[in-house]
């Protein structure tokens, strides 16, 4: 061995040791600093700072309010508040003004055994540091369990957010939520360093904010007899009590049962102040000119023709061609601006059925007089005029992305939601607008979460690919929505947005997709805090389950627990598992075809998602002879809209055919709605139980042999369904039918054999 080689080897060893050390350190860090969002820069320290009833707080003048919030938080864990004293005391928690920290929400936190120093230039930064400290404290502080001392691990943190807009939206119109829930919601936003709460205060189904000039908006518009969404929720409540309508919001009036509620201006000012103390800005949305049925009911003069009903897709809007409409809108927004000091006011502007405008004499006259060329431009006339009004009051207007359709001024802020119009945010940026990304996929948190949701939210890139670095600055952040048509209770709301909001929070604050592994570990620790805070979060998925299983002799079902504290229970009689159902043994042996339902339960008895597993006994399917086999599958392309895959073959109007050695949509397909059939054989190299995972948006059905192996049919957003088949080595008939209804597609087929990791199907297996 020459010297050079030896030296080189030792330096390589040193590097390997460093890497191993780094891995160990980071595993320890995850346990010691389970922070979400993870700080921009964290340097672990040794030892810890002990907080006792003798610990002092010192605070620079401008941070007294934040110091009081920390004191309140600590009193939950100590049973007493700490003394606030002058700077210079030892063993104290010090709030320090530091002009060098230029980021408006930035802070530095230094914990050493002798002191805690929280430094920032602005109170928002100090507040975020307090929430960091909160996540380092034992969860018992959330429960009000008093301890003699609280331990904070030593650490040095420098932190600031990647995006300035880190928002959540809550629709309080479709179902109403109490003031106390809004405050809880704000606490959770604060805990994860989110800074915007967008309240969707009005819609067809209810007007939720008192407007003194138009009292009927809430006297009548805040209450309804149960509607079809309420009935749909009640139906689902049979299996899941979280779908029950909240009794707190049901009243009797004039012999009628009414459901709803509203916030008085005083109540809402209290919520705004509560949020402001936590450095969260509440952005009110009064959605117009569409989504206004609740207002029109009481004030029919708002429409062009006095009618108040649903059009083909959306409700009929208010009329932008009468001055009385502007007078109403300005009066309403004057009161709104009085309640909400936010720089931003949201006007909605989405989903407008403009057809009645085209028939109105007032609109025809206005369009002629103002040179307005079409109905989208007429909507822009309304929106742009309202924006001028907002600007005259020193406010900025936000609108959903439809506001760009008829032209919008550069100063408006565009909130992008329509996933199926991917160029809308790009157009808005190129028009000079500031944009907030809130696309339905993956940020509509009313969409049922599944095992991919958190990953998708974590990896969502708020910057559209078509923007260059300079243009990207116009994207100020992102926001998730909670539309509540099917969310009638606080528990259901919790389930829908937690824990995925934590993935969004880390995305928008830390913005380092490679931290995903560590995030998932930190999230497990966060669940304990969420338990203490009584958040009804969605339990982690049971890993590795399929929808349909096959076995030849006997099947074995064994499920790993995603959290050690969970108990997995099951039934075989079709009933929903409950806290009395037997615990799943490891493993459960299955000898006959049957359906098994399983669900995880927390120690408190809360049930997670229910999984239905179909087990079928099957003989291994023998191969068919194909001679001579040709590579690839025969594919037919149908350029039409289909609701289900079966309708494609009935339509039988093939637009083109092609051969493909993979399950993918060719780049040349541009139609918004289409279908493709893939036909031929799958030639497997060995006997085995093969699993197939079909993830599609919209529908797909996979047949192998004569049977349906995976049924993922219908119009729906991306979701995975899976199934098994026992195959002997050789070629087997293969048919996959796929449909896309419009709005962007997903198509992915993976396989595994005898329980291996899912993989792409090798091109060489697909033949015709
Ligand atoms: C929306 O979902 N209509 C903004």
């Amino acid at each position: 061995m020459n010297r050079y080689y030896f030296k080189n080897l030792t330096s390589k060893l040193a590097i390997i040791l460093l890497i191993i050390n780094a891995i160990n350190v980071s595993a320890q860090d995850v346990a010691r600093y389970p922070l979400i969002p993870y700080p921009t820069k964290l340097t672990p320290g040794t030892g810890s700072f002990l907080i006792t009833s003798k610990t002092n707080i010192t605070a620079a003048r401008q941070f007294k309010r934040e110091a009081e919030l920390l004191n309140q938080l600590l009193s939950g864990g100590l049973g007493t508040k700490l003394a606030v004293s002058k700077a210079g005391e030892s063993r104290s928690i010090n709030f320090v003004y530091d002009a060098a920290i230029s980021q408006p929400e930035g802070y530095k936190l230094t914990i050493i055994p002798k002191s805690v120093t929280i430094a920032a230039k602005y109170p928002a930064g100090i507040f975020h540091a307090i929430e960091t400290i909160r996540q380092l404290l034992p969860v018992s502080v959330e429960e009000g369990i008093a301890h003699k001392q609280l331990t904070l691990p030593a650490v040095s943190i420098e932190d600031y957010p990647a995006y300035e807009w880190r928002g959540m939206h809550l629709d309080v119109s479709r179902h109403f939520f109490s003031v106390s829930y809004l405050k809880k919601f704000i606490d959770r936003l604060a805990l994860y360093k989110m800074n915007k709460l967008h309240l969707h205060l009005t819609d067809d189904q209810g007007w939720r904010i008192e407007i003194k000039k138009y009292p009927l908006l809430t006297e009548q518009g805040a209450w309804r007899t149960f509607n079809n969404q309420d009935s749909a929720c009640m139906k689902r409540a049979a299996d899941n009590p979280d779908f029950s309508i909240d009794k707190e919001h049901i009243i009797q009036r004039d012999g009628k049962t009414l459901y709803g509620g509203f916030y008085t201006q005083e109540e809402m000012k209290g919520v705004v102040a509560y949020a402001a103390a936590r450095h969260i800005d509440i952005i009110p949305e009064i959605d117009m000119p569409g989504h206004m049925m609740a207002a029109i009911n009481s004030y029919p003069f708002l429409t062009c023709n006095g009618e108040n009903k649903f059009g083909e897709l959306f409700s009929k809007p208010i009329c932008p061609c009468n001055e009385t409409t502007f007078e109403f809108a300005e009066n309403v927004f004057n009161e709104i601006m009085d309640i909400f000091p936010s720089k931003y006011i949201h006007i909605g502007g989405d989903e407008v059925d403009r057809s009645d405008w085209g028939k109105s004499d007032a609109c025809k006259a206005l369009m002629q007089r103002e040179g307005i060329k079409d109905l989208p431009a007429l909507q822009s006339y309304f929106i742009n005029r309202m924006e001028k009004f907002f600007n005259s009051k020193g406010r900025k207007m936000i609108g959903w992305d439809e506001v760009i359709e008829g032209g919008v001024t550069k100063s408006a802020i565009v909130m992008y939601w329509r996933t199926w119009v991917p160029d809308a945010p790009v157009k808005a940026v190129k028009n000079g607008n500031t944009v907030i990304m809130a696309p339905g996929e993956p940020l509509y948190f009313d969409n049922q979460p599944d095992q991919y949701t958190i990953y998708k939210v974590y990896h969502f890139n708020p910057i559209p690919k078509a923007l260059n670095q300079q243009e990207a600055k116009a994207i100020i952040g992102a926001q998730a929505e909670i539309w509540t048509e099917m969310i009638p209770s606080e528990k259901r709301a919790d389930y829908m947005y937690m824990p995925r909001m934590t993935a969004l929070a880390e995305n928008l604050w830390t913005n380092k997709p490679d931290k995903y592994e560590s995030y998932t570990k930190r999230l497990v620790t966060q669940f304990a805090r969420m338990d203490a805070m009584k958040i009804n979060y969605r339990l982690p998925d049971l890993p590795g389950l399929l929808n349909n299983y096959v076995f030849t002799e006997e099947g074995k079902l064994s499920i790993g627990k995603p959290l050690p504290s969970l108990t997995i229970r099951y039934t075989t009689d079709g009933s929903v598992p409950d806290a009395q159902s037997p615990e799943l043994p490891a493993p459960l042996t299955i000898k006959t075809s049957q359906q098994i339902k399983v669900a995880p339960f927390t120690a408190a008895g809360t049930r997670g998602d229910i999984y239905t597993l179909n087990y079928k006994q099957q003989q291994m399917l023998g191969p068919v002879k194909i001679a001579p086999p040709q590579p690839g599958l025969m594919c037919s392309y149908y350029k039409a809209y289909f609701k289900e895959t079966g309708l494609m073959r009935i339509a039988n109007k093939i637009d083109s055919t092609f051969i493909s050695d993979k399950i993918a949509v060719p780049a040349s397909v541009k139609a918004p709605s289409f279908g493709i059939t893939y036909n031929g054989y799958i030639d497997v190299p060995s006997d085995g139980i093969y699993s197939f995972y079909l993830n599609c948006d919209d529908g797909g059905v996979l047949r192998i042999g004569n049977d349906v192996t995976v049924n993922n049919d219908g119009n729906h957003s991306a979701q995975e369904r899976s199934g098994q088949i026992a195959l002997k080595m050789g070629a087997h008939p293969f048919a996959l039918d796929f449909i896309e209804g419009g709005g962007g597609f997903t198509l992915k087929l993976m396989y595994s054999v005898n329980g291996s990791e899912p993989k792409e199907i090798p091109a060489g297996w697909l033949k015709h």
Side-chain angles (χ1 to χ4, degrees), residues 174 200 285 287 291 350-351 400 402 417 444 481 483:
R174 273 49 176 265
H200 185 75
E285 179 189 357
D287 197 352
H291 291 270
D350 59 322
E351 298 184 322
W400 296 110
E402 283 100 321
W417 71 281
Y444 271 24
E481 282 67 39
W483 300 103

Side-chain angles (χ1 to χ4, degrees), residues 354 373-381 384 402-408:
R354 309 173 184 118
K373 64 177 194 316
D374 56 18
L375 296 180
L378 180 56
Q379 183 172 333
S380 293
Y381 166 81
N384 290 340
E402 283 100 321
V403 299
I404 65 173
E405 281 177 354
V408 72

